[in-house]
Amino acid sequence: MWDDAFPSFLIGLREGLEAGLIVSILVATLVRAEARSRLPQVWTGVLAAIAVAMSFGAVLTFTAASMPQTAQEAFGGVLSVIAVAFVTAMVFWMRRSARNLSSELKQKVTGALAMGSGMLILTSFLAVGREGLETALFLWTTAQAAGESAGPLTGAAIGLLLAAGLCWGLCRRVLKINLTKFFTATGVVLIVIAAGVLGYGLRDLQEGGVLPGKTAYAVDLAGSIDAGSWYSTLIQGVFNLMPTMTWLQVVAYVAYLAVVMTLFVRGVRVTAPKAKPERKPETVTQRSAGASGEGSAARKPAARRRPVWVVPAAVVAVPAVVAGLFVALGRPKPAGDQTVAVSETDCGKGFTAPEPGRQTFQMHNTGRQASEVYLVDPSTNAVYGEIEGLAPGTTRDLVATIAGGTYAWRCVPASGKAVTSKAVTVTGGGAAKPVAPVSEQDLAAPLKSYKAYVGKGLDTLAGQTRALQHDIEGGHLDKARTDWLTAHRTYASLGAAYGTFEDFDKKIDGRADGLPGGERDKDFSGFLRLEYGLWHGRSAKELAGPARQLSTDVAGLGKAFPSQDFDPGDLPLRAHEILENTLQFELTGDTDEGSGTNLATADANLAGTRELLTVLEPLLTDRAPKVLPTVDTDIDRVQKLLDAQHDGGHWTPVEKLSDADRRRLDGATGQLLEDLAPIPDLLEIRKSA
């Protein structure tokens, strides 16, 4: 977690120390001016600044949470760029103002004393508020980059606590810190961190569609760098440098770092020798000590005094109330305030035209059957949102982005016909992209192509298993091992996932897991049975029977496959499930029976996934043109990692992979699965009215 915490720790430490120094100087000035009775006014201003900063952070968090995903990315990107601008200005301001900070603040306090309590509260509020707003904005952007990690908040808390301790030590004269060097060193580090935040923010703007070049990669090291290693995690967390970066990110990072760092370092060199001894601000004690009894005496309190808690309570409550109103009014009006009824006879009761924007609908099933619920464009059947399996008597939220267009509810009960509600029309609100419907007819051509591919592969496999049988019957076990791998790779490339070949898959490629006798069980058959025997010293005589059985089962599958019932809706599932099996079994070594060729099987599974995506390409390109380019990049990355693990016919066994290589392969496959995950939903066959 430290990699995510360090940037926030540094900003908390630096901003906390800056704010602490400012408060210390304000307090010391009042004490020297014999105006201790005015100290509560300083603390009230400080409290108001903290309340505003925290309210600002809440507004950022809740405002972003109510936006669509692309809008969230664009919003986060804009705020990241703004945060970089604030942090850049802050490090230059502190470098320039450090030597005169004490005298400037004393002058402001002296003037405020003459103008009344309100001005003193305002002076302390403005002095501390800048640091609070900068801290809130920078912490929000780093927290966005860290995702669900608690590192940013933890790091900031540690930094603020340490800053408070340092300020206490400086005030008590138990510590001496060269503040000029401290702010210079931390300024250099913050500039480097800010460069990474700028790159991250620009990437968010690209993801949100605000800036071009989303797929124009200048650096793509995902295949050669272990994203899970400690050094990679540290670099990504601290500097926001990712293994994959676009040209815009790289150019902006380098340009910002070159220009800002040069100006900052040059400014330090120019101004450092000019310091005058009497103005040297080495410690807060020295700064405070210069504050003599100068300044006007505190004014006498008014005859009628309000309760001391009123103003502090107000300065906390007002920002919180304003932030709450901003969040409440800024969120889209929830159409779900009205419950929308779902049943097998009446769908969409209570549905009225919603406001444009991101909406939450409360769907309540008043019928007697479980039902699927879709928000559709009735003219095209395109789907804006859906709930699967809404049980009778239950209520669930359906979230959808509403824009100009026509909308209706479609309820599909577990048995019976679909029911569609009356349509409503929404005007304005930009555009929302629904998922185009897919019918069995749409999947007919891809299914025909895929079945032809599998049929041809089964013909090839039949010849290969006969050759394997002849090898074993002839006692040529070395050749049998080679031919075994060839045949097994062919079978793995045909997409045998989740019952594609019905009962034949268990006979041909079943595992020994769960069998009473394990590898010696009489029901253990197929490729893995032969693998165990060929790599565990079994004789040709012992293996002849299993080899004949395998050849017979493959021939039987070849005859049965053309007439097997293959649900067209299952075809998109295979694009994800084949590699899901790969990650679960092949890449864990769970199915290795001695040959050490699980990576070869994974390679064949990858080839089968490519074939599936090829036949599904026309449907995917029309519905989600960005999915396939991303998936193709992922597949190429996995392919490179697999290619690096074999030399000719020899493959590295999974258990002999280095920890780094194994993490890379698992990570790349996991990312591929994540990017494949939308395909089943995009190509799901949905029942129409």
Side-chain angles (χ1 to χ4, degrees), residues 18 22 77 104 115 122 131 160 171 194 211 280 505 574-575 624:
E18 284 184 28
I22 290 171
E104 290 178 3
M115 298 179 69
L122 181 63
E131 317 302 331
L160 290 171
C171 290
L211 295 176
K280 187 176 182 181
D505 183 51
R574 298 295 178 264

Side-chain angles (χ1 to χ4, degrees), residues 451 454-455 458 500-502 504 556-567:
K451 291 185 76 171
V454 173
L458 288 174
T500 300
F501 298 140
E502 299 179 352
F504 280 99
L557 174 59
K559 293 178 181 179
F561 179 73
S563 60
Q564 282 183 335
D565 184 20
F566 199 116
D567 186 347

Side-chain angles (χ1 to χ4, degrees), residues 416-441:
K417 295 183 178 181
V419 181
T420 303
S421 73
K422 182 180 178 180
V424 299
T425 301
V426 177
T427 57
K433 189 174 182 180
V435 176
V438 175
S439 66
E440 290 192 15
Q441 186 177 358

Side-chain angles (χ1 to χ4, degrees), residues 88-102:
T88 305
M90 177 261 292
V91 296
F92 278 95
W93 174 80
M94 198 60 190
R95 188 206 67 196
R96 182 176 61 254
S97 305
R99 296 182 178 279
N100 302 317
L101 184 62
S102 180

Side-chain angles (χ1 to χ4, degrees), residues 345-405:
T345 57
D346 189 7
C347 183
K349 185 177 180 180
F351 178 50
T352 58
E355 296 291 331
R358 191 170 178 83
Q359 303 290 352
T360 300
F361 302 91
Q362 294 177 350
M363 311 306 299
H364 179 63
N365 190 342
T366 59
R368 297 182 178 181
Q369 297 185 41
S371 180
E372 294 183 1
V373 184
Y374 304 107
L375 180 62
V376 301
D377 180 343
S379 62
T380 63
N381 291 324
V383 178
Y384 290 92
E386 64 183 290
I387 294 177
E388 295 184 356
L390 181 62
T394 60
T395 302
R396 285 163 59 186
D397 288 347
L398 185 150
V399 180
T401 300
I402 304 298

Side-chain angles (χ1 to χ4, degrees), residues 370-675:
S371 180
E372 294 183 1
V373 184
Y374 304 107
L375 180 62
V376 301
D377 180 343
S379 62
T380 63
N381 291 324
V383 178
Y384 290 92
E386 64 183 290
I387 294 177
E388 295 184 356
L390 181 62
T394 60
T395 302
R396 285 163 59 186
D397 288 347
L398 185 150
V399 180
T401 300
I402 304 298
T406 305
Y407 297 85
W409 292 104
R410 177 162 297 145
C411 305
V412 186
S415 62
K417 295 183 178 181
V419 181
T420 303
S421 73
K422 182 180 178 180
V424 299
T425 301
V426 177
T427 57
K433 189 174 182 180
V435 176
V438 175
S439 66
E440 290 192 15
Q441 186 177 358
D442 293 328
L443 284 169
L447 180 58
K448 182 179 179 180
S449 297
Y450 186 66
K451 291 185 76 171
Y453 161 77
V454 173
K456 185 177 179 180
L458 288 174
D459 289 340
T460 301
L461 180 64
Q464 292 171 342
T465 53
R466 285 195 299 269
L468 175 59
Q469 176 188 345
H470 294 154
D471 292 340
I472 292 175
E473 290 176 342
H476 308 300
L477 296 187
D478 286 339
K479 189 172 186 303
R481 294 184 184 94
T482 301
D483 288 345
W484 176 90
L485 180 58
T486 301
H488 193 235
R489 281 170 56 82
T490 298
Y491 184 76
S493 70
L494 302 181
Y498 290 87
T500 300
F501 298 140
E502 299 179 352
D503 292 338
F504 280 99
D505 183 51
K506 185 176 180 181
K507 297 176 182 178
I508 294 172
D509 205 35
R511 297 184 296 277
D513 300 351
L515 295 177
E519 282 83 359
R520 297 178 180 273
D521 196 279
K522 61 181 180 60
D523 292 328
F524 182 36
S525 62
F527 278 110
L528 300 188
R529 170 68 179 87
L530 286 175
E531 178 187 7
Y532 180 81
L534 286 169
W535 274 271
H536 283 84
R538 298 298 183 265
S539 66
K541 183 178 180 180
E542 291 177 277
L543 297 176
R548 284 194 299 272
Q549 186 61 49
L550 174 61
S551 183
T552 300
D553 289 336
V554 167
L557 174 59
K559 293 178 181 179
F561 179 73
S563 60
Q564 282 183 335
D565 184 20
F566 199 116
D567 186 347
D570 287 345
L571 191 61
L573 293 173
R574 298 295 178 264
H576 184 272
E577 290 173 344
I578 293 171
L579 289 178
E580 189 175 53
N581 271 3
T582 302
L583 187 62
Q584 181 180 359
F585 299 117
E586 271 65 51
L587 296 187
T588 59
D590 186 60
T591 54
D592 183 13
E593 294 290 353
S595 68
T597 59
N598 273 27
L599 295 185
T601 306
D603 182 71
N605 287 336
L606 193 65
T609 301
R610 284 184 189 270
E611 182 63 29
L612 267 171
L613 294 174
T614 299
V615 301
L616 294 173
E617 181 176 1
L619 295 176
L620 287 171
T621 301
D622 289 343
R623 288 161 177 79
K626 296 181 180 180
V627 168
L628 280 181
T630 302
V631 168
D632 287 341
T633 301
D634 293 340
I635 288 178
D636 289 342
R637 187 176 300 142
V638 175
Q639 188 67 67
K640 289 179 181 177
L641 293 172
L642 290 172
D643 288 344
Q645 299 303 328
H646 74 95
D647 180 13
H650 175 72
W651 290 80
T652 304
V654 170
E655 66 272 12
K656 292 187 178 180
L657 288 171
S658 67
D659 289 342
D661 287 341
R662 191 163 187 168
R663 284 195 298 267
R664 289 191 195 102
L665 189 53
D666 288 345
T669 306
Q671 182 62 54
L672 174 54
L673 280 169
E674 183 177 333
D675 292 331

